[in-house]
Amino acid sequence: MTFDPWGATKITDYEHAFKKFGLEKFDKAKFPIDHYLFRRNLIIAHRDFGKYYDRIKSKKTFLQLTGIASSGNLHFGHKVDIDLFRVFKDLGAKGYFCVCDLDAYTSRPDKKIPDLKTAKEYAVKNTAHLIAFGFTSKDIYVQSRKSSRYYEFVFEISKKITSNMFEAVYGHKDLGKVSAVLLQLADIIHVQLPEFFGKNPSLTGIGLDQDPHAKITRDVAKRLPYDIETPSFIYFLHQSGLKEGSKMSSSEPATAIFLDDSPDVVKKKINRTFTGGKDSVEEQREKGGNPDICKVYEFFRFHHPDDSYLVNLGKECRSGKILCGECKGNCVKFINDFLEGHQKKYKKALPEAKKIVYG
Ligand code: SF4
């Protein structure tokens, strides 16, 4: 088993992945963080989270850095990353949300991102969404507009990665992806440089398929000529696509609800979503549905803030009290109510987002 950080394949055999790659399972009793992402077991593993959690408890400085490649429009699968950043910001973390325009251009195929201009156009949209989620220009940076110190640091990092090392971790030496990895490492580690927040435990939230980045980051951080903490990582579950099997991905628009989808598009996509319902109304009334395999239930699990809503829905589904038609209607309303407010804030944020991206 190998992970492809740039692929759209969904990882299903988590136990095997934990064993093979030496990740620790996330123990929510040991690290009780009061947010539904943690309560609902959507945070599954970590590397070195203990020292970070100690900092949160002792109220000393702790840092975070996360980012999204501006290689497409944001969808609800990305929202987990954004929600996680909010959780640690609210707990007191200092740090940044990186809008990765250069990374998106260098690591994605030309048919997806043909030029830097396209990556920057996505960067504007993604930045406006981040502002709509309540972040400010102090929380966000765009790679292409980062300071010269950051770029010096990218070159310092390049001296600590050999081509053999890169190939051993990623299985290839694609030069565009090498550049993207150098930028990602600089993103994650630079927060600890004296010119930024200085040496402190730092955290980055990623999906399991991004683990190669975590491994190489931690390895390089130990060999840099700076007194820094080895960065910690936590791993979240990827939200599935709306169809059976795939992960929610902008490469497959039919599998995803985008943050700029219209109410009609949301309705169409949810109505076509794979559920755990039975073949007939009678059978479902009698035997109940199966929320464990249902993508509508999964949508609520990833995004509905109220735990009791989820518990009740599970009970009503299994008992056959609620049917899929009504349940999908509730999901459409839930999404469209959220998007109505979010899209208003997004439109208002666009001028500021342009300024952040183009100056
Ligand atoms: S009733 Fe809702 S949760 Fe249950 S299978 Fe149907 S859509 Fe899924």
Side-chain angles (χ1 to χ4, degrees), residues 40-247:
R40 295 177 195 168
N41 301 323
L42 297 171
I43 307 301
I44 50 174
H46 70 96
R47 284 188 189 273
D48 218 1
F49 185 70
K51 70 175 179 188
Y52 193 80
Y53 187 71
D54 288 346
R55 279 295 180 117
I56 297 174
K57 276 198 308 188
S58 64
K59 299 194 189 308
K60 289 187 185 147
T61 304
F62 52 100
L63 311 177
Q64 68 169 336
L65 188 292
T66 198
I68 294 179
S70 44
S71 57
N73 289 323
L74 295 188
H75 53 67
F76 274 85
H78 293 115
K79 186 172 162 286
V80 179
D81 214 350
I82 296 165
D83 289 339
L84 201 53
F85 188 80
R86 165 60 66 193
V87 170
F88 289 102
K89 184 173 163 60
D90 288 349
L91 286 170
K94 294 179 178 172
Y96 305 114
F97 201 113
C98 173
V99 177
C100 310
D101 56 348
L102 295 177
D103 168 340
Y105 173 53
T106 59
S107 67
R108 269 40 175 200
D110 280 356
K111 64 177 184 316
K112 187 159 190 192
I113 306 289
D115 45 35
L116 192 51
K117 184 172 164 275
T118 307
K120 288 190 182 209
E121 282 163 7
Y122 282 129
V124 170
K125 292 178 178 181
N126 296 0
T127 301
H129 280 299
L130 292 174
I131 297 169
F133 275 108
F135 301 115
T136 71
S137 58
K138 287 198 176 120
D139 302 310
I140 305 163
Y141 72 83
V142 178
Q143 276 173 334
S144 60
R145 291 189 52 80
K146 213 38 185 162
S147 67
S148 58
R149 180 66 190 103
Y150 167 89
Y151 282 98
E152 279 176 6
F153 191 50
V154 173
F155 283 95
E156 288 179 282
I157 286 170
S158 74
K159 275 200 71 170
K160 299 296 172 190
I161 302 182
T162 65
S163 61
N164 285 347
M165 187 177 161
F166 191 91
E167 197 164 14
V169 174
Y170 293 100
H172 61 78
K173 285 189 280 196
D174 175 318
L175 282 185
K177 287 177 181 164
V178 172
S179 320
V181 167
L182 295 177
L183 291 164
Q184 285 186 20
L185 264 64
D187 291 326
I188 294 169
I189 307 172
H190 87 282
V191 290
Q192 290 196 60
L193 294 177
E195 295 85 351
F196 296 91
F197 299 105
K199 179 188 178 185
N200 284 289
S202 79
L203 183 71
T204 298
I206 55 176
L208 206 54
D209 55 344
Q210 305 291 309
D211 186 53
H213 297 324
K215 272 195 290 203
I216 205 162
T217 304
R218 286 170 58 80
D219 190 7
V220 168
K222 286 172 194 159
R223 292 187 294 112
L224 285 166
Y226 292 104
D227 181 23
I228 52 176
E229 295 279 351
T230 306
S232 304
F233 289 83
I234 51 172
Y235 298 74
F236 51 80
L237 269 185
H238 274 300
Q239 184 175 356
S240 301
L242 303 174
K243 294 189 296 186
E244 227 183 333
S246 62
K247 88 179 180 190

Side-chain angles (χ1 to χ4, degrees), residues 6-20:
W6 293 282
T9 313
K10 189 170 181 269
I11 294 159
T12 48
D13 189 355
Y14 291 106
E15 292 297 332
H16 178 68
F18 291 165
K19 269 192 207 128
K20 181 154 184 202

Side-chain angles (χ1 to χ4, degrees), residues 275-277 284 289-291 294-297 313 317-318 322-325 327-328:
T275 72
Q284 192 158 344
N290 181 0
C294 175
K295 307 298 179 121
V296 175
Y297 186 82
L313 177 57
C317 171
R318 286 180 208 283
I322 188 166
L323 299 177
C324 296
C327 193
K328 283 177 171 177

Side-chain angles (χ1 to χ4, degrees), residues 291-349:
D292 298 337
I293 59 164
C294 175
K295 307 298 179 121
V296 175
Y297 186 82
E298 187 184 344
F299 201 98
F300 284 127
R301 184 177 171 221
F302 272 82
H303 303 290
H304 201 294
D306 182 355
D307 289 345
S308 63
Y309 182 89
L310 215 62
V311 172
N312 285 339
L313 177 57
K315 280 184 196 156
E316 291 191 352
C317 171
R318 286 180 208 283
S319 69
K321 192 174 173 198
I322 188 166
L323 299 177
C324 296
E326 182 186 348
C327 193
K328 283 177 171 177
N330 294 342
C331 191
V332 170
K333 183 171 176 355
F334 171 70
I335 296 170
N336 282 340
D337 284 354
F338 169 81
L339 287 182
E340 191 187 352
H342 180 84
Q343 288 172 2
K344 272 186 200 150
K345 291 183 212 158
Y346 167 82
K347 276 190 195 125
K348 226 173 127 190

